Amino acid sequence: MGILSWIILGLIAGVLAKWIMPGPDPGGWIVTIVIGIVGAFIGGWLGSLVGIGGPVTHFSLGSIITATIGAIVLLFIYRMLKRRHH
């Protein structure tokens, strides 16, 4: 996938993850894109572990779902760490 595809995938996945899990997360378009891109890697890694997928290598509905699940996991971890520091 090209850089533009990763940015678009990251934006879609990040927006979906923030929509599914609303809350006081870091904001802005760039942070949302980064959450989605990192989510794609996390989702691909988790999918490989459980045997229902693998790394996100192309732009498809499956890759959007994988990236969104990974972004949700990332937001969950962020919120858990944030709670521990307060």
Side-chain angles (χ1 to χ4, degrees):
M1 267 191 345
I3 187 74
L4 186 60
S5 296
W6 277 107
I7 291 171
I8 293 169
L9 176 68
L11 178 61
I12 293 169
V15 166
L16 287 173
K18 285 185 170 188
W19 179 70
I20 292 169
M21 288 185 61
D25 301 313
W29 289 104
I30 294 176
V31 173
T32 301
I33 291 169
V34 170
I35 288 170
I37 291 172
V38 174
F41 287 105
I42 292 172
W45 178 72
L46 290 173
S48 294
L49 281 178
V50 296
I52 56 167
V56 175
T57 57
H58 60 282
F59 197 87
S60 67
L61 181 59
S63 64
I64 292 171
I65 292 169
T66 300
T68 302
I69 291 170
I72 290 169
V73 170
L74 181 63
L75 286 175
F76 178 78
I77 292 169
Y78 169 78
R79 290 178 185 174
M80 295 306 289
L81 292 174
K82 188 175 176 185
R83 268 193 203 151
R84 285 185 159 195
H85 288 86
H86 286 256

Coordinates of all heavy atoms in Angstrom, one line a residue:
M1 N 0.8 -1.2 0.0 CA 0.0 0.0 0.0 C 0.9 1.2 0.0 O 1.9 1.3 0.7 CB -0.9 0.0 1.3 CG -2.2 -0.6 1.1 SD -3.5 -0.4 2.3 CE -2.8 0.1 3.8
G2 N 0.4 2.2 -0.7 CA 1.1 3.5 -0.7 C 0.8 4.3 0.5 O -0.1 4.1 1.2
I3 N 1.6 5.4 0.7 CA 1.4 6.3 1.8 C 0.1 6.9 1.9 O -0.5 7.0 2.9 CB 2.6 7.3 1.9 CG1 2.5 8.1 3.2 CG2 2.5 8.3 0.7 CD1 3.0 7.4 4.4
L4 N -0.5 7.3 0.7 CA -1.8 7.9 0.7 C -2.9 6.9 1.1 O -3.8 7.2 1.9 CB -2.1 8.4 -0.7 CG -3.4 9.2 -0.8 CD1 -3.4 10.4 0.1 CD2 -3.6 9.7 -2.3
S5 N -2.7 5.6 0.7 CA -3.7 4.6 1.1 C -3.6 4.4 2.7 O -4.6 4.2 3.3 CB -3.4 3.3 0.4 OG -3.5 3.4 -0.9
W6 N -2.4 4.4 3.2 CA -2.3 4.3 4.7 C -2.9 5.4 5.4 O -3.6 5.3 6.4 CB -0.8 4.2 5.1 CG -0.3 2.8 4.9 CD1 0.6 2.3 4.0 CD2 -0.6 1.7 5.8 NE1 0.8 1.0 4.2 CE2 0.2 0.6 5.3 CE3 -1.4 1.5 6.9 CZ2 0.1 -0.7 5.9 CZ3 -1.4 0.2 7.5 CH2 -0.7 -0.9 6.9
I7 N -2.7 6.6 4.9 CA -3.3 7.8 5.5 C -4.9 7.7 5.5 O -5.5 8.0 6.5 CB -2.8 9.1 4.8 CG1 -1.3 9.3 5.2 CG2 -3.6 10.3 5.3 CD1 -0.7 10.4 4.4
I8 N -5.4 7.4 4.3 CA -6.9 7.3 4.2 C -7.4 6.2 5.1 O -8.4 6.3 5.8 CB -7.3 7.0 2.7 CG1 -7.0 8.3 1.9 CG2 -8.8 6.7 2.6 CD1 -7.1 8.1 0.4
L9 N -6.7 5.0 5.1 CA -7.1 3.9 5.9 C -7.0 4.3 7.4 O -8.0 4.0 8.2 CB -6.2 2.7 5.7 CG -6.5 1.5 6.6 CD1 -7.9 0.9 6.3 CD2 -5.4 0.4 6.5
G10 N -6.0 5.0 7.8 CA -5.8 5.4 9.2 C -6.9 6.4 9.6 O -7.4 6.3 10.7
L11 N -7.3 7.3 8.7 CA -8.3 8.3 9.0 C -9.6 7.6 9.2 O -10.4 7.8 10.2 CB -8.4 9.3 7.9 CG -9.5 10.4 8.0 CD1 -9.3 11.2 9.3 CD2 -9.6 11.3 6.8
I12 N -10.0 6.7 8.3 CA -11.3 6.0 8.4 C -11.3 5.1 9.7 O -12.3 5.2 10.4 CB -11.5 5.1 7.1 CG1 -11.7 5.9 5.9 CG2 -12.7 4.1 7.4 CD1 -11.7 5.2 4.6
A13 N -10.2 4.4 9.9 CA -10.2 3.5 11.1 C -10.2 4.3 12.4 O -10.9 4.0 13.4 CB -9.0 2.6 11.0
G14 N -9.4 5.4 12.4 CA -9.4 6.2 13.6 C -10.7 6.9 13.9 O -11.2 6.9 15.0
V15 N -11.4 7.4 12.9 CA -12.7 8.0 13.0 C -13.7 7.0 13.5 O -14.5 7.2 14.5 CB -13.2 8.7 11.7 CG1 -14.7 9.1 11.8 CG2 -12.3 9.9 11.4
L16 N -13.7 5.8 12.9 CA -14.6 4.7 13.3 C -14.4 4.3 14.8 O -15.3 4.2 15.6 CB -14.5 3.5 12.4 CG -15.1 3.7 11.0 CD1 -14.8 2.5 10.2 CD2 -16.6 3.9 11.1
A17 N -13.1 4.2 15.2 CA -12.8 3.8 16.5 C -13.2 4.8 17.5 O -13.8 4.5 18.6 CB -11.3 3.5 16.7
K18 N -13.0 6.1 17.2 CA -13.4 7.2 18.1 C -15.0 7.3 18.2 O -15.5 7.7 19.2 CB -12.8 8.5 17.7 CG -11.3 8.6 18.0 CD -10.8 10.0 17.7 CE -9.4 10.2 18.3 NZ -9.0 11.6 18.1
W19 N -15.6 6.9 17.1 CA -17.1 7.0 17.0 C -17.7 5.8 17.9 O -18.6 6.0 18.6 CB -17.6 6.9 15.6 CG -19.1 6.9 15.4 CD1 -19.9 7.9 15.7 CD2 -19.9 5.8 15.0 NE1 -21.2 7.5 15.4 CE2 -21.2 6.2 15.0 CE3 -19.6 4.5 14.7 CZ2 -22.2 5.3 14.7 CZ3 -20.6 3.6 14.3 CH2 -21.9 4.1 14.3
I20 N -17.0 4.6 17.8 CA -17.5 3.5 18.5 C -17.2 3.6 20.0 O -18.0 3.2 20.9 CB -16.8 2.2 18.0 CG1 -17.4 1.9 16.6 CG2 -17.1 1.0 18.9 CD1 -16.6 0.8 15.8
M21 N -16.0 4.2 20.3 CA -15.6 4.5 21.7 C -15.4 5.9 22.0 O -14.3 6.4 22.1 CB -14.3 3.7 22.0 CG -14.3 2.3 22.0 SD -12.8 1.5 22.5 CE -12.5 2.2 24.1
P22 N -16.5 6.7 22.1 CA -16.4 8.1 22.3 C -15.8 8.4 23.7 O -16.0 7.6 24.6 CB -17.8 8.7 22.2 CG -18.7 7.5 22.5 CD -17.9 6.3 22.0
G23 N -15.0 9.4 23.8 CA -14.4 9.8 25.1 C -13.4 10.9 25.0 O -13.1 11.3 23.9
P24 N -12.8 11.2 26.1 CA -11.8 12.3 26.1 C -10.4 11.8 25.6 O -9.5 11.7 26.4 CB -11.7 12.7 27.5 CG -12.0 11.5 28.3 CD -13.0 10.7 27.4
D25 N -10.3 11.5 24.3 CA -9.0 11.0 23.8 C -8.3 12.2 23.1 O -8.9 13.2 22.8 CB -9.3 10.0 22.7 CG -10.0 8.8 23.3 OD1 -9.6 8.3 24.4 OD2 -11.0 8.4 22.7
P26 N -7.0 12.0 22.9 CA -6.3 13.1 22.2 C -7.0 13.3 20.8 O -7.4 12.4 20.2 CB -4.9 12.6 22.0 CG -5.0 11.1 22.3 CD -6.2 10.9 23.1
G27 N -7.1 14.6 20.4 CA -7.9 14.9 19.2 C -7.0 15.4 18.1 O -5.8 15.4 18.1
G28 N -7.7 15.8 17.1 CA -7.1 16.3 15.9 C -7.0 15.3 14.8 O -7.0 14.1 15.1
W29 N -7.0 15.7 13.6 CA -7.0 14.8 12.4 C -5.7 14.0 12.4 O -5.8 12.8 12.1 CB -7.1 15.6 11.1 CG -8.5 16.2 11.0 CD1 -8.9 17.5 11.1 CD2 -9.7 15.5 10.6 NE1 -10.3 17.6 11.0 CE2 -10.8 16.4 10.6 CE3 -10.0 14.1 10.4 CZ2 -12.1 16.0 10.4 CZ3 -11.3 13.8 10.1 CH2 -12.3 14.7 10.1
I30 N -4.6 14.6 12.7 CA -3.3 13.9 12.6 C -3.3 12.8 13.6 O -2.9 11.6 13.3 CB -2.1 14.8 12.7 CG1 -2.1 15.8 11.5 CG2 -0.8 14.1 12.8 CD1 -1.0 16.8 11.5
V31 N -3.7 13.1 14.8 CA -3.7 12.0 15.9 C -4.7 10.9 15.5 O -4.4 9.7 15.7 CB -4.1 12.7 17.3 CG1 -4.3 11.6 18.3 CG2 -3.0 13.6 17.7
T32 N -5.8 11.3 14.9 CA -6.8 10.3 14.5 C -6.2 9.4 13.4 O -6.4 8.1 13.5 CB -8.1 11.0 14.0 OG1 -8.6 11.8 15.1 CG2 -9.1 9.9 13.6
I33 N -5.5 9.9 12.5 CA -4.9 9.2 11.4 C -3.8 8.2 12.0 O -3.8 7.0 11.7 CB -4.2 10.1 10.4 CG1 -5.4 10.8 9.6 CG2 -3.3 9.3 9.4 CD1 -4.8 11.9 8.7
V34 N -3.0 8.8 12.9 CA -2.0 7.9 13.6 C -2.6 6.8 14.4 O -2.1 5.6 14.3 CB -1.1 8.8 14.5 CG1 -0.1 7.9 15.3 CG2 -0.3 9.8 13.6
I35 N -3.7 7.1 15.1 CA -4.4 6.0 15.8 C -4.9 4.9 14.9 O -4.7 3.7 15.1 CB -5.6 6.6 16.6 CG1 -5.1 7.4 17.8 CG2 -6.5 5.5 17.1 CD1 -6.2 8.2 18.5
G36 N -5.4 5.3 13.7 CA -5.9 4.3 12.7 C -4.7 3.5 12.1 O -4.9 2.3 11.9
I37 N -3.6 4.2 11.8 CA -2.5 3.5 11.2 C -1.9 2.5 12.2 O -1.6 1.3 11.9 CB -1.4 4.5 10.7 CG1 -2.0 5.2 9.4 CG2 -0.2 3.8 10.3 CD1 -1.2 6.4 9.0
V38 N -1.6 3.0 13.4 CA -1.1 2.1 14.4 C -2.1 1.0 14.7 O -1.7 -0.2 14.9 CB -0.7 2.9 15.7 CG1 -0.3 1.9 16.8 CG2 0.4 3.9 15.4
G39 N -3.4 1.3 14.7 CA -4.4 0.3 14.8 C -4.4 -0.8 13.8 O -4.7 -2.0 14.1
A40 N -4.0 -0.4 12.6 CA -3.9 -1.4 11.5 C -2.8 -2.4 11.8 O -3.0 -3.6 11.6 CB -3.6 -0.7 10.2
F41 N -1.7 -1.9 12.3 CA -0.6 -2.8 12.7 C -1.0 -3.7 13.9 O -0.8 -4.9 13.9 CB 0.7 -2.1 13.1 CG 1.3 -1.5 11.9 CD1 1.3 -0.1 11.6 CD2 2.0 -2.3 11.0 CE1 1.9 0.4 10.5 CE2 2.7 -1.8 9.9 CZ 2.6 -0.4 9.6
I42 N -1.7 -3.1 14.9 CA -2.1 -3.9 16.1 C -3.2 -4.9 15.7 O -3.1 -6.1 16.1 CB -2.7 -2.9 17.2 CG1 -1.6 -2.1 17.8 CG2 -3.4 -3.7 18.3 CD1 -2.1 -1.0 18.7
G43 N -4.1 -4.5 14.8 CA -5.2 -5.4 14.4 C -4.6 -6.6 13.6 O -5.0 -7.7 13.7
G44 N -3.7 -6.3 12.7 CA -3.0 -7.3 11.9 C -2.2 -8.3 12.8 O -2.3 -9.5 12.6
W45 N -1.6 -7.7 13.8 CA -0.8 -8.6 14.7 C -1.7 -9.5 15.5 O -1.5 -10.7 15.6 CB 0.1 -7.7 15.6 CG 0.9 -8.5 16.6 CD1 2.0 -9.2 16.4 CD2 0.6 -8.5 18.0 NE1 2.4 -9.8 17.6 CE2 1.6 -9.4 18.6 CE3 -0.3 -8.0 18.9 CZ2 1.7 -9.6 19.9 CZ3 -0.3 -8.3 20.2 CH2 0.7 -9.1 20.7
L46 N -2.8 -8.9 16.0 CA -3.8 -9.7 16.8 C -4.4 -10.7 15.9 O -4.7 -11.9 16.4 CB -4.8 -8.8 17.4 CG -4.3 -7.9 18.6 CD1 -5.4 -6.9 19.0 CD2 -3.9 -8.7 19.8
G47 N -4.8 -10.4 14.7 CA -5.4 -11.3 13.8 C -4.5 -12.5 13.5 O -4.9 -13.6 13.4
S48 N -3.2 -12.2 13.4 CA -2.2 -13.3 13.1 C -2.1 -14.2 14.3 O -2.0 -15.4 14.2 CB -0.8 -12.7 12.8 OG -0.8 -12.0 11.6
L49 N -2.2 -13.6 15.5 CA -2.1 -14.4 16.7 C -3.2 -15.4 16.9 O -3.0 -16.6 17.3 CB -2.1 -13.5 18.0 CG -0.8 -12.8 18.3 CD1 -0.9 -12.0 19.6 CD2 0.3 -13.9 18.6
V50 N -4.4 -15.0 16.5 CA -5.6 -15.8 16.7 C -5.9 -16.6 15.5 O -6.9 -17.4 15.4 CB -6.8 -15.1 17.2 CG1 -6.6 -14.5 18.6 CG2 -7.2 -14.0 16.3
G51 N -5.2 -16.4 14.4 CA -5.4 -17.1 13.2 C -6.6 -16.7 12.3 O -7.1 -17.5 11.5
I52 N -7.0 -15.5 12.4 CA -8.1 -15.0 11.6 C -7.7 -13.8 10.7 O -8.4 -12.8 10.7 CB -9.4 -14.7 12.4 CG1 -9.1 -13.7 13.5 CG2 -10.0 -15.9 13.0 CD1 -10.3 -13.1 14.1
G53 N -6.6 -13.9 10.1 CA -6.2 -12.7 9.3 C -4.7 -12.6 9.4 O -4.0 -13.5 9.9
G54 N -4.2 -11.4 9.0 CA -2.8 -11.1 9.1 C -2.6 -9.7 8.9 O -3.5 -8.9 9.1
P55 N -1.4 -9.3 8.5 CA -1.1 -7.9 8.3 C -2.0 -7.2 7.2 O -2.4 -7.9 6.3 CB 0.4 -7.9 7.8 CG 0.8 -9.3 7.8 CD -0.3 -10.2 8.1
V56 N -2.2 -6.0 7.4 CA -3.0 -5.2 6.5 C -2.1 -4.8 5.3 O -1.1 -4.1 5.5 CB -3.6 -3.9 7.1 CG1 -4.3 -3.0 6.1 CG2 -4.5 -4.3 8.3
T57 N -2.4 -5.4 4.1 CA -1.5 -5.1 3.0 C -2.2 -4.4 1.8 O -1.5 -4.1 0.9 CB -0.9 -6.4 2.5 OG1 -2.0 -7.3 2.2 CG2 0.0 -7.1 3.5
H58 N -3.5 -4.3 1.9 CA -4.2 -3.7 0.8 C -5.5 -3.0 1.4 O -5.9 -3.3 2.5 CB -4.6 -4.7 -0.3 CG -5.5 -5.8 0.2 ND1 -5.0 -6.9 0.9 CD2 -6.8 -6.0 0.1 CE1 -6.0 -7.7 1.2 NE2 -7.1 -7.2 0.7
F59 N -6.1 -2.1 0.6 CA -7.2 -1.3 1.1 C -8.5 -2.1 0.7 O -8.8 -2.3 -0.5 CB -7.2 0.0 0.3 CG -8.1 1.0 1.0 CD1 -7.6 1.8 2.0 CD2 -9.4 1.2 0.6 CE1 -8.4 2.8 2.6 CE2 -10.2 2.2 1.1 CZ -9.7 2.9 2.2
S60 N -9.2 -2.6 1.7 CA -10.4 -3.3 1.5 C -11.3 -3.2 2.8 O -10.9 -2.6 3.8 CB -10.1 -4.8 1.3 OG -9.6 -5.4 2.4
L61 N -12.5 -3.7 2.7 CA -13.4 -3.7 3.9 C -12.8 -4.4 5.0 O -12.8 -4.0 6.2 CB -14.8 -4.2 3.5 CG -15.8 -4.3 4.6 CD1 -16.1 -2.8 5.2 CD2 -17.1 -4.9 4.2
G62 N -12.1 -5.6 4.7 CA -11.5 -6.4 5.8 C -10.3 -5.6 6.4 O -10.2 -5.7 7.7
S63 N -9.6 -4.8 5.7 CA -8.5 -4.1 6.3 C -9.0 -2.9 7.1 O -8.4 -2.6 8.1 CB -7.5 -3.6 5.2 OG -8.1 -2.7 4.3
I64 N -10.1 -2.3 6.7 CA -10.7 -1.3 7.5 C -11.2 -1.8 8.8 O -11.0 -1.2 9.9 CB -11.9 -0.6 6.7 CG1 -11.3 0.2 5.6 CG2 -12.7 0.3 7.7 CD1 -12.4 0.8 4.6
I65 N -11.9 -3.0 8.8 CA -12.3 -3.6 10.0 C -11.2 -4.0 10.9 O -11.2 -3.8 12.1 CB -13.2 -4.9 9.7 CG1 -14.5 -4.4 9.0 CG2 -13.5 -5.7 10.9 CD1 -15.3 -5.6 8.4
T66 N -10.1 -4.6 10.3 CA -8.9 -5.0 11.1 C -8.3 -3.7 11.8 O -8.0 -3.8 12.9 CB -7.9 -5.7 10.2 OG1 -8.5 -6.8 9.7 CG2 -6.6 -6.0 11.0
A67 N -8.1 -2.7 11.0 CA -7.5 -1.4 11.5 C -8.4 -0.8 12.6 O -7.9 -0.3 13.6 CB -7.3 -0.5 10.4
T68 N -9.7 -0.9 12.4 CA -10.6 -0.3 13.4 C -10.6 -1.1 14.7 O -10.5 -0.4 15.8 CB -12.1 -0.2 12.8 OG1 -12.1 0.5 11.6 CG2 -13.0 0.4 13.8
I69 N -10.5 -2.4 14.6 CA -10.4 -3.2 15.8 C -9.1 -2.9 16.5 O -9.1 -2.7 17.8 CB -10.6 -4.7 15.5 CG1 -12.0 -5.0 15.1 CG2 -10.1 -5.6 16.7 CD1 -12.2 -6.4 14.5
G70 N -8.0 -2.8 15.8 CA -6.7 -2.4 16.4 C -6.8 -1.0 17.0 O -6.2 -0.8 18.1
A71 N -7.4 -0.1 16.4 CA -7.5 1.3 16.9 C -8.3 1.3 18.2 O -8.0 2.0 19.1 CB -8.1 2.2 15.9
I72 N -9.4 0.5 18.2 CA -10.2 0.4 19.5 C -9.3 -0.2 20.6 O -9.4 0.3 21.7 CB -11.4 -0.5 19.2 CG1 -12.4 0.3 18.3 CG2 -12.1 -0.9 20.5 CD1 -13.6 -0.5 17.8
V73 N -8.6 -1.2 20.3 CA -7.6 -1.8 21.3 C -6.6 -0.7 21.8 O -6.4 -0.6 23.0 CB -6.9 -3.0 20.8 CG1 -5.8 -3.5 21.7 CG2 -7.9 -4.2 20.5
L74 N -6.1 0.1 20.8 CA -5.2 1.1 21.2 C -5.8 2.2 22.1 O -5.2 2.6 23.1 CB -4.6 1.8 19.9 CG -3.6 2.9 20.1 CD1 -2.3 2.4 20.8 CD2 -3.3 3.5 18.7
L75 N -7.0 2.6 21.8 CA -7.8 3.6 22.6 C -8.0 3.0 24.0 O -7.9 3.7 25.0 CB -9.1 4.0 21.9 CG -9.0 4.9 20.7 CD1 -10.3 5.2 20.1 CD2 -8.3 6.3 21.1
F76 N -8.4 1.7 24.1 CA -8.6 1.1 25.3 C -7.4 1.1 26.2 O -7.4 1.5 27.4 CB -9.1 -0.3 25.1 CG -9.4 -1.1 26.4 CD1 -10.5 -0.8 27.1 CD2 -8.5 -2.0 26.9 CE1 -10.7 -1.5 28.3 CE2 -8.7 -2.7 28.0 CZ -9.8 -2.5 28.8
I77 N -6.2 0.7 25.6 CA -5.0 0.7 26.3 C -4.6 2.1 26.8 O -4.2 2.3 27.9 CB -3.9 0.1 25.5 CG1 -4.1 -1.4 25.3 CG2 -2.5 0.3 26.1 CD1 -3.2 -2.0 24.2
Y78 N -4.8 3.1 25.9 CA -4.5 4.5 26.2 C -5.3 4.9 27.4 O -4.8 5.5 28.4 CB -4.8 5.4 25.0 CG -4.8 6.9 25.4 CD1 -3.6 7.6 25.5 CD2 -5.9 7.6 25.6 CE1 -3.5 8.9 25.9 CE2 -5.9 8.9 25.9 CZ -4.7 9.6 26.1 OH -4.7 10.9 26.4
R79 N -6.6 4.6 27.4 CA -7.5 5.0 28.5 C -7.1 4.3 29.8 O -7.2 4.9 30.9 CB -8.9 4.7 28.2 CG -9.5 5.7 27.1 CD -10.9 5.4 26.7 NE -11.3 6.2 25.6 CZ -12.4 6.1 25.0 NH1 -13.3 5.1 25.4 NH2 -12.7 6.9 24.0
M80 N -6.7 3.1 29.8 CA -6.3 2.4 31.0 C -5.1 3.0 31.6 O -5.0 3.1 32.8 CB -6.1 0.9 30.7 CG -7.4 0.1 30.3 SD -8.7 0.3 31.4 CE -8.1 -0.7 32.8
L81 N -4.1 3.3 30.7 CA -2.9 3.9 31.2 C -3.1 5.3 31.8 O -2.5 5.7 32.7 CB -1.8 4.0 30.1 CG -1.3 2.6 29.6 CD1 -0.4 2.8 28.4 CD2 -0.5 2.0 30.7
K82 N -4.0 6.0 31.1 CA -4.4 7.4 31.6 C -5.0 7.3 32.9 O -4.7 8.2 33.8 CB -5.3 8.1 30.6 CG -5.5 9.5 30.8 CD -6.4 10.1 29.7 CE -6.7 11.6 30.1 NZ -7.6 12.2 29.1
R83 N -5.9 6.4 33.2 CA -6.5 6.2 34.5 C -5.5 5.9 35.6 O -5.7 6.4 36.7 CB -7.5 5.0 34.4 CG -8.9 5.5 34.1 CD -9.9 4.4 34.4 NE -11.0 4.6 33.5 CZ -11.8 3.6 33.1 NH1 -11.6 2.4 33.4 NH2 -12.8 3.9 32.3
R84 N -4.5 5.1 35.3 CA -3.5 4.8 36.3 C -2.7 6.0 36.7 O -2.2 6.0 37.9 CB -2.6 3.7 35.7 CG -3.2 2.4 35.7 CD -2.2 1.4 35.3 NE -2.6 0.1 35.7 CZ -1.8 -1.0 35.7 NH1 -0.6 -0.9 35.3 NH2 -2.3 -2.1 36.1
H85 N -2.6 7.0 35.9 CA -1.8 8.1 36.2 C -2.6 9.2 36.9 O -2.0 10.3 37.2 CB -1.1 8.7 34.9 CG 0.0 7.8 34.5 ND1 -0.2 6.7 33.7 CD2 1.4 7.8 34.7 CE1 1.0 6.1 33.4 NE2 1.9 6.7 34.0
H86 N -3.9 9.0 37.1 CA -4.7 10.0 37.7 C -5.2 9.6 39.0 O -5.4 8.7 39.5 CB -5.9 10.4 36.8 CG -5.5 11.2 35.6 ND1 -5.8 12.5 35.6 CD2 -4.9 10.9 34.5 CE1 -5.3 13.0 34.4 NE2 -4.7 12.0 33.8

